[in-house]
Amino acid sequence: MDDLARKLISETYEEFSKDIVVFVKNYEDRTKTDTIQDSQLRAQVWETLFQYLAKSDYASVHFNCLSALRILSRNKKDLDKIVTAEMITLLLQLAGLLCENNEQKISSTNVSIESAKVLCNILYHSFKVRELALEKNCLQHLIERIHKYTSNLSQEMKLFDIKMLFIITALNPPARNTVKNLNGHSYLLNVLDELLEQYKSKAVFSLEYDDVILVCDILKVLFNLYINSEDSTREGQEKNKRLTTYLYKFLHDKNWSKHDDLVSNVINLLTVIPLDHYRQMIRSIESNENNIVYQNIDVTTVSVILEFLDKRLNHKDNLLENLSPVVTVLIRLVKVEKPIRKYARLQVLPPLKDVMKRPEEGTTLKAKLCKLLTSPITELRDLVAEFLFILCKENVGRMVKYTGYGNAAGMFANKGLLGRNHEKVSYSSDSEDSDTEEYLKYKEQINPVTGCYEKAKPNPLEDMSEEQKEYEALQLVNLVDQLTRAGIVQPCRIGEDGKPKPIEHVLELQDELKKQQYRRESDSD
């Protein structure tokens, strides 16, 4: 690359116009370009390219110059030193993001699109570039252009406009308030509305993939604008309601919801939408054969989210990042309306029939979630446990029945539910348990710790004398004491708050056992 770069900075215009094509062709498809090793040479190449861009006489090579800059800007090395305010001004001008005589040019030529691509790269890589762009009122011009979007503006131009807006709002949090003050979130909602209406009016629904990408990028920008932001004004509440309505439509329509990237971005945005707007995600029954209806409520969107969760559970990478937004939204949804909780429970924790396998064994949604109850990723484990616990109406016995005590013990300990005096949460009195014949048949043989059927095992103490039993008990006490002293285990007893409390000596367990026996005798009187 160095040799070709040296030629570019020393050639005549005729020679340059040929070699710049060669440069772009050679490095266009490389995701990681070879770096120009010489820092001074790298700066000279950037200066040369901008010298050609600055003169209208060289318009014939402007597109290739910008393509070369797009390739070079994939590498952030020395960008802060190379890029100047004049360069940013020129790129913004070529991208149509500078006003001339108070009139903004809305164009989508190859040059303006290519310039927008360069801006996306350098905005992402350089804090200095972001600051310079904001000083040039880039954000105001960008929002104004989004406001004036017409059908004449190419989809590619729109895509890179939104990408620029996403990069700025993601990496420069103060810019989020600027966008909102410029009414940018309303203009973005207008774009979503136009897209939905555009396809609604089509006789044959044929969704363009570029439109899906555009919607995803808009949702990403809206996420940046809504996170850590509360707007209790009437206008803000109306915008929240409007946004949630659009999210409902994207999930409800299978032509949109079949795209996992879109569903993922809808779910991410739902995590920052105020809870009181979640009722927009369910509707009263409508006359549509494609709807999924439960207790006269349209739960199609809930079904889509559960299906998406099932898909995500099949992937083992980035579990927290991929699963926590979905589970968080489901927790919020099942808290909104009783029918949603009951519907979700039927999908996740259907009436028990297969009691021969542990709850975490198998490929069902329940099994996949139960596996996560013992995950080392504590944040994800606690989220999943909270979701399942709510589906069980926050009833300890029901949670043990469906997940096994061993899987749920961590959550019980964290919530202080191991004792007998924990506060019970009030739920509807109508029972949803309806034990199956299979469960009732083997109920007495189900091990509550593992949550599945186990054959009766012979009693190892049956043939022992009292002296042998006492000897084995002392051996066990000594072994536990040794492990405790070595710091390998930390025995605990259950405190008054229902949480485990470390003991100082293993003999404290004997006192705890006497208390438990006393309680059982008192209960039986």
Side-chain angles (χ1 to χ4, degrees):
M1 179 180 276
D2 284 28
D3 291 339
L4 186 52
R6 287 190 181 91
K7 290 177 67 177
L8 290 175
I9 65 174
S10 60
E11 293 177 323
T12 63
Y13 171 70
E14 289 72 19
E15 292 171 328
F16 174 88
S17 61
K18 294 177 182 178
D19 284 337
I20 192 65
V21 175
V22 175
F23 182 93
V24 172
K25 183 178 180 181
N26 286 350
Y27 299 104
E28 173 71 54
D29 297 328
R30 300 194 189 184
T31 53
K32 273 193 173 182
T33 62
D34 297 333
T35 304
I36 299 176
Q37 300 301 319
D38 187 327
S39 297
Q40 185 177 359
L41 177 61
R42 189 161 48 249
Q44 288 175 334
V45 172
W46 276 74
E47 289 173 6
T48 300
L49 293 171
F50 273 96
Q51 285 171 8
Y52 283 106
L53 285 172
K55 296 180 180 180
S56 58
D57 292 345
Y58 300 135
S60 60
V61 296
H62 281 184
F63 176 77
N64 285 324
C65 286
L66 289 165
S67 296
L69 286 170
R70 172 172 51 81
I71 293 168
L72 292 170
S73 62
R74 293 170 184 167
N75 192 314
K76 65 179 181 181
K77 189 174 182 180
D78 293 339
L79 271 183
D80 284 348
K81 296 179 181 178
I82 293 171
V83 178
T84 65
E86 291 74 19
M87 291 179 179
I88 298 300
T89 300
L90 184 54
L91 286 173
L92 290 172
Q93 182 181 340
L94 293 171
L97 291 174
L98 280 184
C99 290
E100 296 179 3
N101 300 322
N102 293 325
E103 289 188 9
Q104 185 181 29
K105 292 182 178 179
I106 301 180
S107 63
S108 53
T109 63
N110 288 338
V111 167
S112 59
I113 293 171
E114 202 68 11
S115 186
K117 293 178 182 179
V118 177
L119 283 166
C120 283
N121 283 352
I122 61 178
L123 284 167
Y124 176 74
H125 285 311
S126 172
F127 173 81
K128 173 188 173 182
V129 169
R130 291 193 292 274
E131 291 296 304
L132 289 172
L134 292 175
E135 287 176 9
K136 300 293 181 181
N137 293 324
C138 165
L139 209 49
Q140 289 89 326
H141 302 321
L142 192 55
I143 297 300
E144 185 64 22
R145 182 152 80 186
I146 293 171
H147 177 41
K148 295 179 179 178
Y149 272 172
T150 64
S151 57
N152 296 328
L153 193 65
S154 77
Q155 192 75 337
E156 193 174 14
M157 189 76 252
K158 293 178 183 178
L159 283 169
F160 283 97
D161 277 354
I162 302 300
K163 286 185 187 296
M164 273 191 277
L165 188 56
F166 169 71
I167 291 168
I168 293 171
T169 54
L171 300 179
N172 192 325
R176 298 168 189 173
N177 285 330
T178 303
V179 173
K180 286 187 279 190
N181 291 336
L182 293 169
N183 214 24
H185 48 333
S186 291
Y187 302 150
L188 291 170
L189 292 179
N190 290 342
V191 179
L192 293 181
D193 186 49
E194 288 170 9
L195 280 168
L196 286 165
E197 288 300 317
Q198 171 187 332
Y199 283 99
K200 185 179 178 181
S201 62
K202 284 187 176 182
V204 179
F205 198 110
S206 179
L207 188 59
E208 297 291 337
Y209 187 62
D210 279 353
D211 286 339
V212 176
I213 296 175
L214 181 60
V215 170
C216 288
D217 285 344
I218 291 173
L219 296 180
K220 290 176 184 177
V221 176
L222 289 169
F223 178 87
N224 292 340
L225 300 181
Y226 275 81
I227 193 170
N228 299 326
S229 173
E230 293 185 8
D231 188 351
S232 57
T233 65
R234 181 176 179 180
E235 182 183 2
Q237 294 300 306
E238 284 299 317
K239 287 175 182 175
N240 289 339
K241 183 178 179 181
R242 184 182 172 199
L243 172 59
T244 316
T245 299
Y246 294 151
L247 299 184
Y248 163 82
K249 291 178 179 179
F250 286 126
L251 289 181
H252 192 272
D253 192 318
K254 64 180 181 180
N255 293 294
W256 292 95
S257 64
K258 68 182 180 182
H259 296 277
D260 286 350
D261 286 346
L262 178 56
V263 175
S264 177
N265 281 288
V266 169
I267 289 171
N268 287 340
L269 190 47
L270 280 171
T271 62
V272 296
I273 295 294
L275 186 60
D276 54 354
H277 290 282
Y278 265 56
R279 283 186 174 82
Q280 292 292 113
M281 301 306 297
I282 58 172
R283 301 295 174 91
S284 299
I285 185 170
E286 298 176 5
S287 56
N288 188 330
E289 60 181 10
N290 295 321
N291 289 0
I292 299 174
V293 177
Y294 181 77
Q295 293 188 351
N296 292 327
I297 296 292
D298 181 358
V299 293
T300 307
T301 55
V302 183
S303 176
V304 169
I305 295 173
L306 285 169
E307 184 180 344
F308 182 75
L309 173 63
D310 198 17
K311 291 180 185 177
R312 279 284 172 94
L313 286 165
N314 292 329
H315 302 288
K316 305 303 177 185
D317 298 328
N318 302 319
L319 284 176
L320 182 61
E321 179 183 340
N322 288 329
L323 294 176
S324 59
V326 197
V327 181
T328 298
V329 168
L330 284 169
I331 288 173
R332 303 181 90 194
L333 274 169
V334 296
K335 286 181 176 180
V336 170
E337 293 280 354
K338 182 176 73 174
I340 298 181
R341 175 179 57 79
K342 295 174 74 173
Y343 172 76
R345 182 172 179 270
L346 286 174
Q347 306 308 308
V348 180
L349 301 175
L352 281 171
K353 290 188 176 181
D354 186 0
V355 295
M356 298 299 170
K357 293 191 299 188
R358 291 180 177 230
E360 67 270 21
E361 294 178 347
T363 58
T364 64
L365 185 52
K366 168 192 163 185
K368 295 173 186 177
L369 289 171
C370 284
K371 287 176 186 175
L372 294 175
L373 292 176
T374 53
S375 169
I377 308 172
T378 55
E379 186 177 343
L380 179 60
R381 178 198 68 197
D382 294 344
L383 267 177
V384 171
E386 180 72 15
F387 176 52
L388 294 176
F389 195 46
I390 294 171
L391 294 186
C392 290
K393 297 166 73 171
E394 302 190 39
N395 181 289
V396 172
R398 188 172 290 148
M399 183 80 167
V400 170
K401 171 183 170 181
Y402 279 97
T403 69
Y405 183 83
N407 288 327
M411 185 207 69
F412 294 155
N414 290 337
K415 284 181 169 287
L417 299 174
L418 294 175
R420 300 168 57 84
N421 300 320
H422 58 271
E423 182 180 351
K424 293 185 178 180
V425 180
S426 176
Y427 276 89
S428 57
S429 59
D430 57 314
S431 175
E432 301 171 19
D433 255 340
S434 60
D435 292 336
T436 62
E437 292 181 10
E438 293 86 348
Y439 177 76
L440 292 173
K441 180 179 179 181
Y442 296 104
K443 184 176 181 179
E444 299 303 321
Q445 287 80 42
I446 292 176
N447 184 336
V449 175
T450 61
C452 68
Y453 168 84
E454 289 185 3
K455 292 181 180 179
K457 298 177 181 178
N459 185 354
L461 305 178
E462 190 172 349
D463 296 326
M464 288 186 184
S465 65
E466 291 302 318
E467 291 78 7
Q468 286 176 310
K469 292 177 183 178
E470 185 176 349
Y471 173 79
E472 292 296 337
L474 288 173
Q475 289 292 98
L476 179 60
V477 169
N478 288 333
L479 179 59
V480 172
D481 189 47
Q482 291 174 22
L483 293 172
T484 303
R485 292 174 182 275
I488 297 173
V489 298
Q490 176 64 72
C492 296
R493 62 180 179 82
I494 305 304
E496 295 299 325
D497 60 357
K499 295 184 178 182
K501 303 292 182 184
I503 62 172
E504 294 182 3
H505 194 277
V506 71
L507 290 178
E508 290 184 45
L509 295 176
Q510 187 175 3
D511 296 335
E512 182 67 20
L513 181 61
K514 289 179 181 178
K515 291 179 183 179
Q516 292 178 7
Q517 290 173 338
Y518 176 75
R519 289 195 198 102
R520 282 196 291 269
E521 290 170 1
S522 299
D523 290 344
S524 61
D525 288 343

